[in-house]
């Protein structure tokens, strides 16, 4: 009815992660099995509908430096490969909790994830928490597999990558500690040339995702739309627009 101008992918990422302080989650076979078991297209359709798009990395296509397919094969559903990995895991590693913030959408996400993981032989128990309770759980590092939404404060790769992947970040709830990754992120931050900086951040993104400490699921999309009579609407990756640039045609 109103057209599609203004509906863009936002720098707002739904992702799940593993608490690497738990010994079972330090087994990369388990992390890869979970990654390969997830069908993002199906998940987005059943949980979010048109307000989200399947994510193939951390950085959405609307940010400078977006690297298509940064997640590689781990963001492509392969249930047979996932089931084969599960078969090689110790039985005690095949059951664990899924922590998330309680809400109608959060409940749908947890149900869909646990159902998809059950299809490859994993027994995942959703554990809903009220917002304050969930925040305290993360502060105590008592989470298991967990799901969150991360939002960029400014439209640059750094705004998502450093909080999620840098070892010293308070928002790095996976507990990932990787010296090579830290050095890459430090180099990118210190680089003044935009093109080179974006390439370094893209390299850091691919490296971080290759060991599957966290799993990008979906990017939210803006819900603004404008008909053909409206000109000048340009929604930015943070969901805002310049009202002064708008015009109304005949």
């Amino acid at each position: 009815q109103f057209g599609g101008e203004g509906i863009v992918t936002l720098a707002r990422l739904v992702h799940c992660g593993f608490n690497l302080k738990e010994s079972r989650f330090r087994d990369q076979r388990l992390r890869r099995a979970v990654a390969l078991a997830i069908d993002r297209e199906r998940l987005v359709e059943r949980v979010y509908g048109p307000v989200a798009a399947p994510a193939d990395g951390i950085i959405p296509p609307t940010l400078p430096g977006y690297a298509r397919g940064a997640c590689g094969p781990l963001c492509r559903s392969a249930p047979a490969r996932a089931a084969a990995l599960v078969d090689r895991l110790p039985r005690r590693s095949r059951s664990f909790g899924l922590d998330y913030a309680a809400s109608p959408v959060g409940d749908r996400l947890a149900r869909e994830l646990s159902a998809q993981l059950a299809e490859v032989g994993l027994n995942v128990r959703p554990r809903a928490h009220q917002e304050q309770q969930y925040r305290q759980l993360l502060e105590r590092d008592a989470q298991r597999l967990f799901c969150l939404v991360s939002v960029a404060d400014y439209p640059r790769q750094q705004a998502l990558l450093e909080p999620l992947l840098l070892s010293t970040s308070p928002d790095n709830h996976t507990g990932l500690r990787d010296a090579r990754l830290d050095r890459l992120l430090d180099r990118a931050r210190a680089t003044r040339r935009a093109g080179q900086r974006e390439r370094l951040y893209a390299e850091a993104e691919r490296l971080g995702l290759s060991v599957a400490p966290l799993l990008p699921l979906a990017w939210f999309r803006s819900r603004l739309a404008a008909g053909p009579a409206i000109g000048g609407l340009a929604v930015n990756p943070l969901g805002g627009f310049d009202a002064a640039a708008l015009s109304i045609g005949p």
Side-chain angles (χ1 to χ4, degrees), residues 105-210:
V105 175
D107 294 341
R108 289 202 303 272
L109 174 62
R111 286 195 299 268
E112 181 61 26
L113 279 172
S114 60
Q116 291 193 15
L117 296 177
E119 292 172 7
V120 301
L122 294 169
N123 176 27
V124 178
R125 303 176 304 278
R127 305 196 308 177
H129 306 273
Q130 297 306 310
E131 186 176 347
Q132 183 177 358
Q133 180 190 29
Y134 193 34
R135 195 161 50 239
Q136 292 170 346
L137 183 83
L138 295 170
E139 288 171 355
R140 298 197 314 269
D141 283 331
Q143 70 277 15
R144 308 290 171 77
L145 176 65
F146 62 94
C147 295
L148 287 168
V149 176
S150 291
V151 181
D153 293 329
Y154 49 94
R156 295 289 183 271
Q157 295 156 289
Q158 178 183 8
L160 285 172
L161 295 179
E162 289 192 1
L164 293 176
L165 299 177
L166 190 65
S167 64
T168 55
S169 167
D171 296 316
N172 175 358
H173 296 299
T174 65
L176 175 68
R177 299 290 183 268
D178 188 299
R180 181 183 167 198
L181 182 55
D182 285 347
R183 287 194 298 270
L184 260 177
L185 290 169
D186 288 344
R187 280 180 60 202
R189 189 187 321 113
T191 299
R192 294 189 177 185
R193 297 177 61 181
Q196 183 180 358
R197 183 173 61 248
E198 290 168 7
R199 285 191 292 274
L200 287 170
Y201 273 126
E203 185 180 348
E205 180 184 12
R206 285 189 291 267
L207 176 61
L209 291 173
S210 69

Side-chain angles (χ1 to χ4, degrees), residues 52-71:
D56 64 356
I58 295 172
I59 304 302
T62 45
L63 284 189
Y66 165 67
R68 184 180 180 87
C71 192

Side-chain angles (χ1 to χ4, degrees), residues 30-77:
L30 173 56
R31 302 200 304 273
R32 292 179 67 86
V34 172
L36 294 169
I38 298 172
D39 183 334
R40 286 161 177 77
E41 297 279 353
R42 187 174 106 191
L43 183 146
V44 166
E45 179 182 353
R46 294 184 177 181
V47 178
Y48 299 108
V51 303
D56 64 356
I58 295 172
I59 304 302
T62 45
L63 284 189
Y66 165 67
R68 184 180 180 87
C71 192
L74 291 179
C75 280
R76 295 193 288 270
S77 177

